Amino acid sequence: MSSTPTLSSAGYAVQRSRSVERLVAGQATSDGAGVKLNRVLTQQLQHRLDPYLMLDAFGSDNPNDYIAGFPDHPHRGFETITYMIAGRMLHRDSAGHQGLLENGGVQWMTAGRGVIHSEIPQQEQGVMEGFQLWLNLPGRDKMRQPWYQDFAHADLPSFATDGGAAVSVIAGASHGVQGAVTREVTEPLYLDIHLGAGGRFAQTLPAGHNAFVYVYRGTVTVAGTAVPLARMAILSNKDAEADGVVIEASDDAKVLLIAGKPLKEPIVQYGPFVMNSQQEIYQALSDFRDGRLGEEATTTGEHA
Ligand code: MN
């Protein structure tokens, strides 16, 4: 169990908030075996929001929108981070991992050189809501061993501030609290921030890092710009004086704040494979076709 200390915001003040460069509504789409979702971070934004490749938001109380889930499919070259707000999803993969993701839990999976996995809802009714974020791997790590960890909500580091924010730290560090996962090269920051009426939350951000906010309850204001429900606000990097972001809410609101250090490497995506070159994509396709993707992890049993 994690404790939830109330921390003073004093040592973590932001002198000047980044502004909102653009509001993004995302694209309604379906994936897997017909799961309806909103693709908030689309392929067109991969360079602007490097090192992030995708953010999907799914949320429905209609089982027809989610029941078929995501049957066996491969990944290579990046990491998937699934954050379940409501509902239950069972994960199984070719590296021998299995885990039930539910109510507030996070699953962090590093596909590396390859996994084949399924993500199947474990409910026939009720609300299914959550997010899947794709974080790129640097070229040198794209063919590393797969890795996987589940975090129950109670195991996510969390804190409250005297500014009226309750924060879960999924990745990176905030207000001196280390998150569940850290990564050296991309330095991902992934926070789930719940604000009460009149709440305010400040987070320092390195100038070169790309950052965005996604609102999933209520509305918030960032540097004078209203960010409505179900919108992503891309935070500007242009103001060299801006040392972070300040998020304010006049009523209850919940937002994700996601930031990271861009890789500035070529991004070549073909469906579930994200590599640095077309040649590496051909290799991934032929490895998958020939049953070599995910094979080593299965046969060694190293991660089972
Ligand atoms: Mn997947």
Side-chain angles (χ1 to χ4, degrees):
M1 291 288 287
S2 63
S3 60
T4 302
T6 298
L7 304 175
S8 164
S9 309
Y12 303 97
V14 167
Q15 301 306 316
R16 187 169 160 133
S17 178
R18 291 194 192 196
S19 59
V20 173
E21 174 180 302
R22 190 180 154 190
L23 293 175
V24 175
Q27 285 172 5
T29 184
S30 69
D31 208 341
V35 177
K36 291 206 173 103
L37 50 85
N38 184 27
R39 186 145 295 160
V40 179
L41 196 172
T42 55
Q43 213 165 341
Q44 289 88 338
L45 290 168
Q46 287 176 340
H47 287 280
R48 175 63 189 84
L49 294 175
D50 179 8
Y52 296 99
L53 299 166
M54 193 186 86
L55 175 66
D56 282 346
F58 49 93
S60 178
D61 59 3
N62 177 358
N64 295 326
D65 290 346
Y66 61 72
I67 201 73
F70 303 87
D72 271 344
H73 59 279
H75 291 291
R76 173 178 281 182
F78 58 99
E79 309 191 75
T80 69
I81 303 131
T82 309
Y83 183 27
M84 203 72 177
I85 303 296
R88 305 162 76 222
M89 187 100 88
L90 181 69
H91 162 99
R92 276 202 187 97
D93 74 30
S94 56
H97 309 124
Q98 178 170 321
L100 182 65
L101 187 59
E102 55 190 332
N103 303 334
V106 168
Q107 181 215 77
W108 195 296
M109 186 189 79
T110 306
R113 74 174 146 226
V115 296
I116 296 168
H117 75 161
S118 61
E119 299 156 293
I120 304 292
Q122 301 296 297
Q123 63 190 53
E124 284 164 7
Q125 55 185 7
V127 176
M128 170 79 74
E129 182 182 10
F131 306 96
Q132 189 169 83
L133 178 69
W134 288 11
L135 170 62
N136 209 355
L137 284 167
R140 69 172 203 212
D141 293 335
K142 283 184 177 291
M143 296 296 280
R144 56 155 285 170
Q145 282 275 7
W147 183 85
Y148 167 94
Q149 192 160 351
D150 280 319
F151 302 90
H153 188 74
D155 297 328
L156 292 176
S158 62
F159 63 94
T161 71
D162 53 7
V167 182
S168 295
V169 190
I170 296 167
S174 178
H175 293 232
V177 175
Q178 277 295 325
V181 172
T182 55
R183 289 284 178 265
E184 273 181 23
V185 180
T186 50
E187 299 177 34
L189 176 75
Y190 188 171
L191 306 179
D192 181 19
I193 304 162
H194 297 192
L195 293 164
R200 181 182 189 276
F201 181 74
Q203 175 65 46
T204 55
L205 295 170
H209 288 205
N210 291 326
F212 58 96
V213 168
Y214 180 75
V215 181
Y216 71 96
R217 292 287 187 283
T219 67
V220 298
T221 301
V222 174
T225 301
V227 186
L229 181 66
R231 293 292 182 278
M232 170 170 71
I234 298 177
L235 304 180
S236 175
N237 305 44
K238 291 198 180 95
D239 181 355
E241 303 285 301
D243 56 346
V245 61
V246 178
I247 302 168
E248 294 169 295
S250 48
D251 280 303
D252 289 353
K254 298 183 181 180
V255 307
L256 307 178
L257 170 60
I258 297 170
K261 185 178 181 184
L263 287 166
K264 300 180 179 170
E265 292 179 2
I267 300 167
V268 184
Q269 177 173 3
Y270 183 84
F273 308 123
V274 185
M275 305 300 288
N276 297 123
S277 71
Q278 198 61 53
Q279 186 52 45
E280 291 169 332
I281 293 293
Y282 294 141
Q283 188 64 53
L285 284 165
S286 80
D287 285 352
F288 180 49
R289 199 168 43 231
D290 299 344
R292 287 193 306 265
L293 194 144
E295 182 190 51
E296 285 143 294
T298 306
T299 52
T300 61
E302 206 169 301
H303 291 251

